[in-house]
Amino acid sequence: MELFALKGFNSTSVADLLSRTQLNSGSLYHVFPSKQDVLIGVLEAYRDGIEAMLLTPAWGGVADPIEKIFALLAYYRMGVVMTDCTYGCPIGSLALELHEPDPPVRDLLAANFKAWTAAVERCLDEAGDRLPANLDRDALAQFVLTTMEGGVMQARTHRDVVYFDRAVGQLRAYFEFLQSDARTKRRAKKGAS
Amino acid sequence: MELFALKGFNSTSVADLLSRTQLNSGSLYHVFPSKQDVLIGVLEAYRDGIEAMLLTPAWGGVADPIEKIFALLAYYRMGVVMTDCTYGCPIGSLALELHEPDPPVRDLLAANFKAWTAAVERCLDEAGDRLPANLDRDALAQFVLTTMEGGVMQARTHRDVVYFDRAVGQLRAYFEFLQSDARTKRRAKKGAS
DNA sequence: GTCTATAAAAGGATAGAC
DNA sequence: GTCTATCCTTTTATAGAC
């Protein structure tokens, strides 16, 4: 996970993997028939570890569902800052690096995105009537991921976290509009009833 | 440009470049001292060609400044659809593939993003008072890029353009709120004067 | 299951004639 | 400026002993 996140898949050699894991060629290949199988193992680990490795640390002490969404983004921000804007989202990086991934790899990338947006969607559901009733929660959850990935990409490229912050700031503004809209509609409904 | 967009930088071999260009090793290396210099040439070509290769075709027949922004996104959508969701934004792909690019490469990636967002920002300026006066146009222009890159990433990963469409749909909703907000403020101002 | 040694291929880049 | 031939390194993966 560490090496693929740091250098990507193609730029990580099997020799790198052996050196980092202190394994010998025979041992690694005994478990993983090919380098791609290591990638599959890594993507499965991310998918299965989203709760323990991402959501739990990101949401420590945060109860409000909408703030949980921004806490998730803040957690990625921390990753960006701590690595001097060289690291972003390992899944996103792999998704763009591998142009024509084999189906098992592509499916796992998609599964990782799905797990991520599903977590956000649960927050949106929890937010209840603070958001408009007619809101497409699926689309908004995806849009949060869109913002994170696009923001991370620009922060990395410019080596400046402000590009991430500005993306999140715009998303925050959008959420404010949505909440304000929900309030207006609630009042109108009350008045009409 | 074609090969790097299709396969990425690392997965494009010099042999690929020679075969596609019908050049011999000696000729290519006579002009480009290394493979990275080819990349630099490609990134310069994108940067210098943004008007002719991107804006002009994307904006054919579109006059409204806000619609020009969405026409730009529609142009990328076309690229996604025409390649069965395998192709996205070549700059974004390279930006995430190259984890620690040499300064000249990184600067050119950043310059490409800058040229792109600058074009969007000009549209925002043209939109005048249809958008709130206190709007951070720089941040919003970047957010359009964020949406495009994040949307393209998910469409490619899921091999389904609907993920791109949903991202753009959310951006559109945000723009509607911004325009509505600008109208409200204009009325309030008129009323006060 | 793990070890060392090595195969087999592909990669970027260069040499030197023309 | 362009040609062919080739060097040298890195890379993924395997062989076969232990």
Side-chain angles (χ1 to χ4, degrees):
Chain A
M1 296 172 92
E2 181 185 312
L3 286 170
F4 289 162
L6 209 68
K7 317 178 42 161
F9 178 71
N10 284 307
S11 299
T12 299
S13 67
V14 174
D16 290 333
L17 296 172
L18 297 177
S19 136
R20 179 67 184 79
T21 57
Q22 297 282 60
L23 288 171
N24 291 318
S25 172
S27 303
L28 183 68
Y29 276 100
H30 181 75
V31 177
F32 299 104
S34 78
K35 188 184 164 189
Q36 171 164 302
D37 291 298
V38 179
L39 175 62
I40 288 174
V42 163
L43 291 173
E44 286 172 343
Y46 275 121
R47 178 200 58 192
D48 299 340
I50 187 172
E51 194 77 34
M53 288 164 38
L54 180 64
L55 303 181
T56 301
W59 290 346
V62 181
D64 183 273
I66 291 181
E67 288 318 308
K68 272 160 71 180
I69 291 175
F70 287 93
L72 194 55
L73 296 171
Y75 192 73
Y76 277 86
R77 183 188 196 277
M78 212 177 60
V80 169
V81 170
M82 288 198 324
T83 59
D84 284 315
C85 300
T86 59
Y87 169 96
C89 166
I91 308 300
S93 298
L94 289 169
L96 287 199
E97 174 186 355
L98 306 168
H99 285 242
E100 293 194 341
D102 288 338
V105 171
R106 196 167 66 70
D107 290 347
L108 278 167
L109 290 168
N112 270 281
F113 280 161
K114 269 263 172 279
W116 203 99
T117 55
V120 173
E121 204 170 344
R122 286 195 297 275
C123 294
L124 297 175
D125 289 339
E126 280 178 50
D129 68 355
R130 289 165 61 191
L131 294 169
N134 65 336
L135 176 69
D136 184 342
R137 280 152 207 247
D138 192 26
L140 180 55
Q142 279 173 45
F143 196 53
V144 175
L145 177 58
T146 299
T147 302
M148 186 276 279
E149 294 290 1
V152 151
M153 179 191 289
Q154 289 172 76
R156 266 185 56 183
T157 302
H158 290 101
R159 286 275 194 282
D160 189 341
V161 75
V162 78
Y163 288 81
F164 181 82
D165 292 336
R166 281 200 275 249
V168 173
Q170 293 296 301
L171 184 69
R172 176 70 87 169
Y174 180 39
F175 265 84
E176 300 296 341
F177 278 130
L178 286 170
Q179 291 177 81
S180 155
D181 186 46
R183 276 193 299 272
T184 307
K185 284 177 179 160
R186 276 208 306 280
R187 275 197 220 104
K189 201 177 169 188
K190 259 191 191 168
S193 68
Chain B
M1 295 172 93
E2 181 185 312
L3 286 170
F4 289 163
L6 209 67
K7 316 180 41 161
F9 178 71
N10 284 306
S11 299
T12 299
S13 68
V14 174
D16 290 334
L17 296 172
L18 297 177
S19 137
R20 178 67 183 80
T21 56
Q22 297 281 62
L23 288 172
N24 293 113
S25 172
S27 303
L28 182 68
Y29 276 100
H30 181 75
V31 177
F32 299 103
S34 78
K35 188 184 164 190
Q36 171 164 303
D37 292 298
V38 179
L39 175 61
I40 288 173
V42 163
L43 290 174
E44 287 172 343
Y46 276 120
R47 179 201 56 191
D48 299 339
I50 187 170
E51 195 77 34
M53 290 165 37
L54 179 64
L55 303 181
T56 302
W59 289 348
V62 181
D64 182 274
I66 292 181
E67 290 316 310
K68 272 161 71 179
I69 291 174
F70 287 93
L72 194 55
L73 296 171
Y75 192 73
Y76 277 85
R77 182 187 197 279
M78 212 178 59
V80 169
V81 169
M82 289 199 322
T83 59
D84 284 315
C85 301
T86 60
Y87 169 96
C89 165
I91 308 301
S93 297
L94 289 168
L96 286 200
E97 176 187 354
L98 307 168
H99 285 244
E100 292 193 344
D102 288 339
V105 172
R106 196 166 68 71
D107 290 347
L108 278 166
L109 290 168
N112 270 280
F113 280 160
K114 270 264 171 280
W116 203 98
T117 56
V120 172
E121 205 169 344
R122 284 195 298 276
C123 293
L124 296 176
D125 289 339
E126 281 178 49
D129 68 356
R130 289 165 60 193
L131 293 170
N134 66 335
L135 176 69
D136 184 341
R137 280 151 206 248
D138 191 26
L140 181 55
Q142 280 173 44
F143 196 53
V144 175
L145 178 57
T146 299
T147 301
M148 186 277 278
E149 295 289 2
V152 151
M153 179 190 290
Q154 289 172 77
R156 266 185 55 181
T157 302
H158 290 101
R159 287 274 195 282
D160 189 341
V161 76
V162 79
Y163 288 81
F164 182 82
D165 292 336
R166 280 200 276 250
V168 174
Q170 293 295 302
L171 184 69
R172 176 71 86 169
Y174 181 38
F175 266 85
E176 299 297 340
F177 278 130
L178 287 170
Q179 291 176 82
S180 157
D181 186 45
R183 275 192 300 272
T184 306
K185 283 177 179 159
R186 275 208 307 280
R187 276 197 220 104
K189 199 178 172 188
K190 259 191 191 166
S193 68

